[in-house]
């Protein structure tokens, strides 16, 4: 019973308040129960009727009103005077421990080499990402994004043909374009985006770049992403960062809708800066 320390004024006042509320509740509830047993309903009825049932116009019971007022006063007193916000709490202690751990981890990883970052990122991936993307990151037969092809032409082709559930941008989800473009057109768009717009600056299909430029402008791609691919001032994804860390960081920050639910936003403290760097390092490894 160490938790029940009556020498602590906070515990004592809390116990007194709880006992008082319980006593008032029993008293009032008991009174109404006795009244239901021995009293006849009386009073003025309203004019409204539902299936032969009419409602009394009685005022709010005095006991109920007093109890309601007392509980409100007690709640305000408890939060602002008896146990004011900012004092000790288990949640506050947990948050402090998390911050201390994150600070220690950040210091440890400040000088980490690429191998250490990849190892740490792999552990974080198994903890937070593998449930949907699978242990190998291949998306478990299309249930989630295939992370082994992120930042490649294949990923762009898939998005063009099948659409994207979206990253919560202003312009919303991207609809599938398979009724508008052919697979060859989608490959051309991918070649154009990779070589001319993205930070990667090269493609496996250089012979399709010019055709991709034309399709990009005519197949509604530029309507949302803009003719320069920069996303119309944040209204849609910025394709000029596609394939690099900035693009992944945007996904982590925004979260993403998927076929099996909503990927949450991995902002701090859920994902620290050092963990973000480590996870990106690991995703580079599993990318084909």
């Amino acid at each position: 019973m160490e938790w029940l320390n009556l020498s602590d004024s906070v515990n004592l006042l809390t116990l007194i308040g709880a006992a008082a509320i319980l006593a008032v509740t029993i008293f009032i509830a008991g009174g109404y129960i006795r009244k239901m047993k021995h009293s006849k309903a009386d009073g003025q009825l309203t004019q409204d009727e539902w299936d032969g049932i009419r409602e009394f116009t009685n005022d709010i019971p005095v006991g109920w009103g007093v109890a309601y007022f007392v509980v409100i006063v007690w709640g305000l007193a408890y939060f602002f005077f008896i146990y004011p916000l900012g004092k000790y709490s288990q949640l506050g202690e947990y948050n402090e421990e998390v911050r201390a751990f994150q600070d220690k981890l950040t210091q440890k990883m400040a000088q980490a080499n690429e191998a250490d970052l990849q190892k740490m990122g792999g552990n974080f991936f198994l903890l937070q990402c593998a449930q949907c993307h699978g242990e190998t990151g291949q998306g478990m037969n299309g249930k989630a994004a295939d992370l082994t092809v992120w930042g490649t032409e294949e990923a762009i082709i898939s998005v063009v043909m099948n659409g994207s559930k979206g990253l919560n941008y202003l312009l919303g989800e991207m609809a599938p374009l398979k009724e508008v473009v052919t697979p060859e057109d989608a490959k051309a768009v991918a070649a154009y985006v990779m070589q001319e717009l993205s930070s990667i600056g090269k493609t496996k299909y250089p012979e399709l770049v010019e055709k991709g430029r034309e399709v990009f402008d005519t197949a509604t791609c530029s309507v949302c992403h803009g003719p320069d691919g920069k996303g119309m001032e944040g209204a849609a994804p910025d394709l000029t960062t596609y394939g690099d860390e900035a693009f992944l960081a945007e996904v982590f920050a925004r979260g993403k809708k998927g076929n099996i639910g909503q990927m949450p936003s991995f902002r701090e403290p859920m994902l620290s800066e050092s963990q973000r760097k480590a996870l990106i390092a690991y995703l580079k490894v599993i990318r084909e």
Side-chain angles (χ1 to χ4, degrees):
M1 297 290 286
E2 294 182 0
W3 60 271
L4 188 58
N5 182 7
L6 296 183
S7 63
D8 187 328
S9 60
V10 172
N11 284 340
L12 183 58
L13 287 171
T14 301
L15 185 61
I16 292 173
I21 292 173
L22 179 61
V24 170
T25 301
I26 293 173
F27 175 77
I28 294 175
Y32 282 118
I33 291 173
R34 287 192 298 273
K35 190 173 182 180
M36 285 189 292
K37 288 182 178 180
H38 305 295
S39 302
K40 290 184 65 177
D42 56 8
Q44 185 177 355
L45 295 172
T46 64
Q47 299 301 314
D48 300 316
E49 183 175 324
W50 297 272
D51 296 330
I53 301 174
R54 294 171 67 184
E55 190 175 41
F56 284 111
T57 60
N58 295 343
D59 294 331
I60 295 175
V62 175
W64 186 92
V66 170
Y68 184 73
F69 177 76
V70 169
V71 169
I72 291 177
V73 172
W74 168 255
L76 293 174
Y78 183 84
F79 280 108
F80 292 104
F81 300 104
I82 299 172
Y83 194 76
L85 300 176
K87 291 188 68 175
Y88 171 81
S89 69
Q90 289 182 325
L91 180 59
E93 181 180 21
Y94 171 77
N95 289 335
E96 288 295 330
E97 291 176 351
V98 170
R99 279 191 288 268
F101 174 79
Q102 296 287 23
D103 291 342
K104 182 178 179 180
L105 184 63
T106 299
Q107 293 174 5
K108 180 180 179 180
M109 300 305 297
Q111 304 300 323
N113 57 37
E114 192 68 15
D116 290 335
L117 286 174
Q118 292 169 3
K119 182 178 179 180
M120 175 184 172
N123 291 334
F124 187 82
F125 182 88
L126 290 175
L127 178 65
Q128 295 284 5
C129 312
Q131 295 90 332
C132 295
H133 294 283
E135 293 184 7
T136 61
Q138 293 179 324
M140 296 195 296
N141 298 320
K143 294 180 180 179
D146 184 352
L147 300 180
T148 64
V149 297
W150 77 271
T152 67
E153 284 95 334
E154 285 69 26
I156 297 176
I157 293 170
S158 176
V159 170
V160 171
M161 300 300 291
N162 303 312
S164 173
K165 292 293 185 181
L167 294 166
N168 301 310
Y169 281 96
L170 180 63
L171 293 179
E173 298 181 6
M174 174 180 167
L177 298 179
K178 56 187 175 183
E179 301 297 331
V180 180
V181 300
T182 65
E184 188 67 15
D185 290 337
K187 183 185 291 188
V189 169
Y192 170 68
V193 171
M194 289 294 286
Q195 180 166 303
E196 300 298 319
L197 298 181
S198 78
S199 59
I200 296 176
K202 60 181 179 179
T203 176
K204 295 186 292 185
Y205 316 111
E207 71 281 2
L208 297 176
V209 170
E210 289 307 314
K211 180 181 179 180
R213 187 194 308 274
E214 179 182 347
V215 176
F216 186 89
D217 290 334
T218 59
T220 74
C221 302
S222 61
V223 173
C224 295
H225 295 286
D228 56 1
K230 292 185 177 180
M232 305 284 283
E233 298 183 350
D238 182 355
L239 299 180
T240 65
T241 65
Y242 183 73
D244 64 21
E245 295 184 10
F247 191 85
L248 282 178
E250 186 76 357
V251 175
F252 295 154
R254 287 180 172 273
K256 192 178 189 304
K257 294 179 182 178
N259 295 324
I260 55 176
Q262 173 75 39
M263 171 183 155
S265 166
F266 285 95
R267 291 188 174 94
E268 291 193 34
M270 190 173 183
L271 183 68
S272 68
E273 178 65 18
S274 58
Q275 289 172 328
R276 183 184 68 81
K277 291 174 61 178
L279 185 54
I280 290 174
Y282 177 74
L283 291 177
K284 289 180 178 178
V285 171
I286 67 173
R287 178 172 60 184
E288 292 181 348

